[in-house]
Amino acid sequence: MGLSIGIVGLPNVGKSTLFNALSNAGALAANYPFATIEPNVGVVPVPDERLDKLSALVKPEKTLYTTLEFVDIAGLVRGASKGEGLGNQFLANIRQVDAVLYVLRCFEDDNITHVEGSISPQRDKDTVDTELCLKDLETVEKRREKTQRSAKAPGKEGEVAKAELAVLDKLKGKLDDAVPVRAQGLTEQERALVKELFLLTDKPVLYIANVMEGQLASQDTDKHVTVVKAIAAKEGAEVVVLAAALEAEIQQLPAEERPEFLKSAGLDEPGLNKVVRAGYKLLGLKTYFTIGPKECRAWTFHDGWKAPQCAGVIHTDFEKGFIKAEVMTWKELLQYGSEAAVRDKGLLRMEGKEYVVQDGDCMHFRFNVTT
């Protein structure tokens, strides 16, 4: 489905370290601003224990997880939107992402400099917000200039342009005050216009509180983590607490050594799993499965999609020629051990075009495409 999340933050907050851990792509992480001089892109599988269990049952030739794409850009500093530092060069790279991940530094380390001289997640968040708002303001002002000319036209064209101009003026006023678009309470009609502009501050946000390994045990009382949680709670956003350096270390270990390492660190799973799942949830995504001896596979769909739309995720022909879908839940398949057994129990359902697919459905599509 090509869904992506952009990673933003100030220099030296752990962005590239987190990206390295997520994608294991070896992005440069160094103790100076702008170590990341090109946008890095990594495709990350979405962990899913349900698929693991189904694959253990079916023993297919291949097991394929759904994925998310993460885009890491250069650290932002004050003035980035106006060309300060390298961050400005890469703001355009997150225009097309579906959500934004804010990495906020919550650890003290004299060996890793902070561009502002001290640790303050709230200040860092405000700095990123301001720079993204200023970049969006630039976009809105360019669109506004064009719309002003159209507003002088007679008839319907002029009326449509005047209505758009009113929305742009509203956006401009709020962005001038560093209010992100997502917090401006826009109507559905206004949102339709905003969508066309691909504004950075209109995207949903996931917060990462990046700590040192020693802070994990006390994260519920840590003063910096508490600030990040308060920020997320105020916005109704998701927050994940993790130690990016530790996560990167975990990814360097052979797979068989990771469980013991996690146990010794007091973790039940890598924090990265939580990041990926939180991103999946943030984007309103669900998963259905196709199960067979050749391949057990997870497929991404948007919450609320009907069966034909979900079939189209596999191939457009499946959606065009959709007839019916055979459906069972992943729990039913695990409980009874095979599709045949589920059918014998009367639990294999035939669903039509109006069926709203549920998270965890196991599906087989029937379709017919005439050429």
Side-chain angles (χ1 to χ4, degrees), residues 54-105:
L54 291 170
S55 291
L57 172 69
V58 177
K59 296 180 174 58
E61 293 176 16
K62 291 191 296 184
T63 299
L64 298 172
Y65 299 83
T66 60
T67 60
L68 278 179
E69 182 179 272
F70 287 87
V71 181
D72 178 33
I73 69 166
L76 299 174
V77 294
R78 293 183 190 277
S81 60
K82 301 299 182 184
E84 290 295 322
L86 295 179
N88 178 63
Q89 292 177 228
F90 306 115
L91 285 174
N93 291 309
I94 59 171
R95 284 273 179 223
Q96 303 300 322
V97 301
D98 301 285
V100 179
L101 186 155
Y102 278 45
V103 180
L104 299 177
R105 178 171 167 175

Coordinates of all heavy atoms in Angstrom, one line a residue, residues 54-105:
L54 N -0.2 -18.7 12.6 CA -0.8 -19.3 11.5 C 0.3 -20.0 10.6 O 0.0 -21.1 10.1 CB -1.5 -18.2 10.6 CG -2.8 -17.6 11.3 CD1 -3.2 -16.4 10.5 CD2 -3.9 -18.7 11.4
S55 N 1.5 -19.4 10.5 CA 2.5 -20.0 9.7 C 3.0 -21.2 10.3 O 3.4 -22.2 9.7 CB 3.7 -19.0 9.5 OG 3.3 -17.9 8.7
A56 N 3.1 -21.2 11.7 CA 3.5 -22.4 12.4 C 2.6 -23.6 12.2 O 3.0 -24.7 12.1 CB 3.7 -22.1 13.9
L57 N 1.3 -23.2 12.0 CA 0.3 -24.2 11.8 C 0.3 -24.8 10.3 O 0.4 -26.0 10.1 CB -1.1 -23.6 12.0 CG -2.3 -24.5 11.6 CD1 -2.4 -25.7 12.6 CD2 -3.6 -23.7 11.7
V58 N 0.4 -23.9 9.4 CA 0.3 -24.2 7.9 C 1.7 -24.7 7.4 O 1.7 -25.5 6.5 CB -0.3 -23.0 7.1 CG1 -0.3 -23.3 5.6 CG2 -1.6 -22.7 7.6
K59 N 2.7 -24.1 7.9 CA 4.1 -24.4 7.4 C 4.2 -24.1 5.9 O 4.6 -25.0 5.1 CB 4.5 -25.8 7.7 CG 4.6 -26.1 9.2 CD 5.0 -27.6 9.5 CE 5.2 -27.8 11.0 NZ 4.0 -27.5 11.8
P60 N 4.0 -22.8 5.5 CA 4.1 -22.5 4.1 C 5.5 -22.3 3.6 O 6.5 -22.3 4.5 CB 3.4 -21.1 4.1 CG 3.7 -20.5 5.4 CD 3.7 -21.7 6.4
E61 N 5.7 -22.2 2.3 CA 7.0 -22.0 1.8 C 7.6 -20.6 2.2 O 8.8 -20.4 2.4 CB 7.0 -22.1 0.3 CG 6.7 -23.6 -0.2 CD 6.6 -23.6 -1.7 OE1 7.1 -22.7 -2.4 OE2 6.1 -24.6 -2.2
K62 N 6.6 -19.6 2.2 CA 7.0 -18.2 2.6 C 6.0 -17.6 3.5 O 4.8 -17.9 3.5 CB 7.1 -17.4 1.3 CG 8.2 -17.7 0.3 CD 8.3 -16.6 -0.8 CE 7.0 -16.5 -1.6 NZ 7.1 -15.5 -2.7
T63 N 6.5 -16.8 4.4 CA 5.7 -16.0 5.3 C 6.0 -14.5 5.0 O 7.2 -14.1 5.1 CB 5.9 -16.3 6.8 OG1 5.6 -17.7 7.0 CG2 5.1 -15.4 7.7
L64 N 5.0 -13.7 4.7 CA 5.2 -12.3 4.3 C 4.4 -11.4 5.2 O 3.2 -11.5 5.3 CB 4.8 -12.1 2.8 CG 5.7 -12.9 1.8 CD1 5.1 -12.7 0.4 CD2 7.1 -12.4 1.9
Y65 N 5.1 -10.5 5.9 CA 4.4 -9.5 6.8 C 4.1 -8.2 6.0 O 4.6 -7.9 4.9 CB 5.4 -9.1 7.9 CG 5.8 -10.3 8.8 CD1 6.8 -11.1 8.4 CD2 5.1 -10.6 10.0 CE1 7.2 -12.2 9.2 CE2 5.4 -11.6 10.8 CZ 6.5 -12.5 10.4 OH 6.8 -13.5 11.2
T66 N 3.1 -7.5 6.6 CA 2.9 -6.1 6.0 C 4.1 -5.2 6.4 O 4.9 -5.6 7.3 CB 1.6 -5.5 6.6 OG1 1.7 -5.4 8.0 CG2 0.4 -6.4 6.3
T67 N 4.2 -4.1 5.7 CA 5.3 -3.2 6.0 C 4.9 -1.8 6.1 O 3.8 -1.4 5.7 CB 6.3 -3.3 4.8 OG1 5.7 -2.9 3.6 CG2 6.9 -4.7 4.7
L68 N 5.8 -1.0 6.7 CA 5.7 0.4 6.8 C 7.0 1.0 6.3 O 8.1 0.4 6.5 CB 5.5 0.9 8.2 CG 4.0 0.9 8.8 CD1 4.0 1.4 10.2 CD2 3.1 1.8 7.9
E69 N 7.0 2.2 5.7 CA 8.2 2.8 5.2 C 8.5 4.0 6.2 O 7.6 4.8 6.5 CB 8.0 3.3 3.8 CG 9.2 4.0 3.2 CD 8.9 4.5 1.8 OE1 9.1 3.7 0.8 OE2 8.5 5.6 1.6
F70 N 9.7 4.1 6.6 CA 10.2 5.2 7.5 C 11.2 6.0 6.7 O 12.1 5.5 6.0 CB 10.8 4.7 8.7 CG 9.8 4.1 9.7 CD1 9.4 2.8 9.7 CD2 9.3 4.9 10.7 CE1 8.5 2.3 10.6 CE2 8.3 4.4 11.6 CZ 8.0 3.1 11.5
V71 N 11.0 7.4 6.8 CA 11.8 8.3 6.1 C 12.5 9.2 7.1 O 11.9 9.9 7.9 CB 11.0 9.2 5.1 CG1 12.0 10.2 4.4 CG2 10.3 8.4 4.1
D72 N 13.8 9.1 7.2 CA 14.6 9.9 8.1 C 15.2 11.1 7.4 O 15.9 11.0 6.4 CB 15.8 9.0 8.7 CG 16.7 9.8 9.6 OD1 16.2 10.6 10.4 OD2 17.9 9.5 9.7
I73 N 15.0 12.3 8.0 CA 15.6 13.5 7.3 C 16.6 14.2 8.3 O 16.6 13.9 9.5 CB 14.5 14.5 6.9 CG1 13.8 15.1 8.1 CG2 13.5 13.9 6.0 CD1 13.0 16.4 7.8
A74 N 17.3 15.2 7.7 CA 18.3 15.9 8.5 C 17.6 16.6 9.7 O 16.5 17.0 9.6 CB 19.0 16.9 7.7
G75 N 18.4 16.7 10.8 CA 17.8 17.4 12.0 C 17.5 18.8 11.7 O 18.1 19.5 11.0
L76 N 16.3 19.2 12.3 CA 15.9 20.6 12.2 C 16.4 21.5 13.3 O 16.6 21.0 14.4 CB 14.3 20.6 12.2 CG 13.6 19.9 11.2 CD1 12.1 19.9 11.5 CD2 13.8 20.4 9.8
V77 N 16.7 22.7 12.9 CA 17.1 23.7 13.9 C 16.3 24.9 13.7 O 15.6 25.1 12.8 CB 18.6 24.1 13.8 CG1 19.5 22.9 14.1 CG2 18.9 24.6 12.4
R78 N 16.4 25.9 14.7 CA 15.6 27.1 14.5 C 16.1 27.8 13.2 O 17.3 27.9 12.9 CB 15.9 28.1 15.7 CG 15.4 27.6 17.0 CD 15.7 28.6 18.1 NE 15.4 28.0 19.4 CZ 14.1 28.0 19.9 NH1 13.1 28.5 19.3 NH2 13.9 27.4 21.1
G79 N 15.1 28.2 12.4 CA 15.4 28.8 11.1 C 15.5 27.8 10.0 O 15.8 28.2 8.8
A80 N 15.3 26.5 10.2 CA 15.4 25.5 9.2 C 14.4 25.9 8.0 O 14.8 25.7 6.8 CB 15.1 24.1 9.7
S81 N 13.2 26.3 8.3 CA 12.2 26.6 7.3 C 12.7 27.7 6.4 O 12.2 27.8 5.2 CB 10.9 27.0 7.9 OG 11.0 28.1 8.7
K82 N 13.6 28.6 6.9 CA 14.1 29.7 6.1 C 15.5 29.4 5.5 O 16.1 30.3 4.9 CB 14.2 31.0 6.9 CG 12.9 31.4 7.5 CD 11.8 31.7 6.5 CE 10.5 32.2 7.1 NZ 9.5 32.4 6.1
G83 N 15.9 28.1 5.6 CA 17.2 27.8 5.0 C 18.3 27.6 5.9 O 19.4 27.3 5.5
E84 N 18.1 27.7 7.2 CA 19.2 27.5 8.2 C 19.5 26.0 8.3 O 18.6 25.2 8.4 CB 18.8 28.0 9.6 CG 18.7 29.5 9.7 CD 20.1 30.2 9.5 OE1 21.1 29.6 10.0 OE2 20.1 31.3 8.9
G85 N 20.8 25.7 8.2 CA 21.2 24.3 8.3 C 20.7 23.5 7.1 O 20.2 24.0 6.1
L86 N 20.8 22.2 7.2 CA 20.4 21.3 6.1 C 19.0 20.8 6.2 O 18.4 20.3 5.2 CB 21.3 20.1 6.0 CG 22.8 20.4 5.7 CD1 23.6 19.1 5.7 CD2 22.9 21.1 4.4
G87 N 18.3 21.0 7.3 CA 17.0 20.5 7.5 C 16.0 21.0 6.4 O 15.2 20.2 5.9
N88 N 16.1 22.2 6.0 CA 15.2 22.8 5.0 C 15.2 22.0 3.7 O 14.2 21.9 3.1 CB 15.6 24.3 4.8 CG 14.7 24.9 3.7 OD1 13.5 25.0 3.9 ND2 15.3 25.3 2.6
Q89 N 16.4 21.5 3.3 CA 16.5 20.8 2.1 C 15.6 19.6 2.0 O 15.2 19.1 1.0 CB 18.0 20.3 1.9 CG 19.0 21.4 1.6 CD 20.4 20.8 1.5 OE1 21.3 21.3 2.1 NE2 20.5 19.8 0.7
F90 N 15.3 19.0 3.2 CA 14.6 17.7 3.2 C 13.2 17.8 3.7 O 12.5 16.8 3.8 CB 15.4 16.8 4.1 CG 16.9 16.6 3.7 CD1 17.9 17.1 4.5 CD2 17.2 16.2 2.4 CE1 19.2 17.0 4.0 CE2 18.5 16.1 2.0 CZ 19.5 16.5 2.8
L91 N 12.7 19.0 4.1 CA 11.3 19.1 4.5 C 10.4 18.7 3.4 O 9.4 18.1 3.6 CB 11.0 20.5 4.9 CG 11.6 21.0 6.3 CD1 11.3 22.4 6.5 CD2 10.9 20.1 7.4
A92 N 10.8 18.9 2.1 CA 10.0 18.5 1.0 C 9.8 17.0 0.9 O 8.8 16.4 0.4 CB 10.6 19.0 -0.3
N93 N 10.8 16.3 1.5 CA 10.8 14.8 1.4 C 9.7 14.2 2.3 O 9.3 13.0 2.1 CB 12.1 14.2 1.8 CG 13.2 14.5 0.8 OD1 13.0 14.3 -0.4 ND2 14.3 15.1 1.2
I94 N 9.2 15.0 3.3 CA 8.1 14.4 4.1 C 6.8 15.0 3.7 O 5.8 14.8 4.4 CB 8.4 14.6 5.6 CG1 8.5 16.1 6.0 CG2 9.6 13.8 6.1 CD1 8.6 16.3 7.5
R95 N 6.7 15.7 2.6 CA 5.4 16.2 2.1 C 4.5 15.0 1.8 O 3.3 15.1 2.0 CB 5.6 17.0 0.8 CG 6.2 18.4 1.0 CD 5.1 19.4 1.3 NE 5.6 20.7 1.5 CZ 5.2 21.5 2.5 NH1 4.3 21.2 3.3 NH2 5.8 22.7 2.6
Q96 N 5.1 14.0 1.3 CA 4.2 12.9 0.8 C 4.0 11.8 1.9 O 3.3 10.8 1.6 CB 4.9 12.2 -0.4 CG 5.1 13.2 -1.6 CD 3.8 13.9 -2.1 OE1 2.8 13.2 -2.2 NE2 3.9 15.2 -2.4
V97 N 4.6 11.9 3.0 CA 4.4 10.8 4.0 C 3.0 10.9 4.6 O 2.4 11.9 4.6 CB 5.5 10.9 5.2 CG1 6.9 10.7 4.6 CG2 5.4 12.2 6.0
D98 N 2.6 9.8 5.2 CA 1.2 9.7 5.7 C 1.1 10.2 7.2 O 0.1 10.5 7.7 CB 0.7 8.3 5.6 CG 0.7 7.8 4.2 OD1 -0.2 8.2 3.4 OD2 1.6 7.1 3.8
A99 N 2.3 10.1 7.9 CA 2.3 10.6 9.3 C 3.7 11.0 9.7 O 4.6 10.7 8.9 CB 1.8 9.4 10.2
V100 N 3.8 11.7 10.8 CA 5.1 12.2 11.2 C 5.5 11.7 12.6 O 4.6 11.7 13.5 CB 5.2 13.7 11.2 CG1 6.5 14.2 11.7 CG2 4.8 14.3 9.8
L101 N 6.7 11.2 12.8 CA 7.2 10.7 14.1 C 8.1 11.7 14.6 O 9.2 12.0 14.0 CB 7.8 9.3 13.8 CG 8.3 8.5 15.0 CD1 8.4 7.0 14.6 CD2 9.7 9.0 15.5
Y102 N 7.8 12.3 15.8 CA 8.6 13.2 16.5 C 9.5 12.5 17.5 O 9.0 11.8 18.4 CB 7.8 14.2 17.3 CG 7.2 15.4 16.6 CD1 6.5 15.3 15.4 CD2 7.2 16.7 17.2 CE1 6.0 16.3 14.7 CE2 6.6 17.8 16.5 CZ 6.0 17.6 15.3 OH 5.4 18.7 14.7
V103 N 10.8 12.6 17.3 CA 11.8 12.0 18.3 C 12.2 13.1 19.2 O 12.8 14.1 18.8 CB 13.0 11.4 17.6 CG1 13.9 10.8 18.6 CG2 12.6 10.3 16.6
L104 N 11.9 12.9 20.5 CA 12.2 13.9 21.5 C 13.2 13.4 22.5 O 13.0 12.3 23.1 CB 10.9 14.4 22.3 CG 9.8 15.0 21.4 CD1 8.6 15.3 22.2 CD2 10.3 16.3 20.7
R105 N 14.3 14.1 22.7 CA 15.4 13.6 23.5 C 15.0 13.8 25.0 O 14.7 14.9 25.5 CB 16.7 14.4 23.2 CG 17.8 14.0 24.1 CD 19.1 14.6 23.6 NE 20.2 14.5 24.6 CZ 21.4 14.9 24.4 NH1 21.8 15.4 23.2 NH2 22.4 14.8 25.3

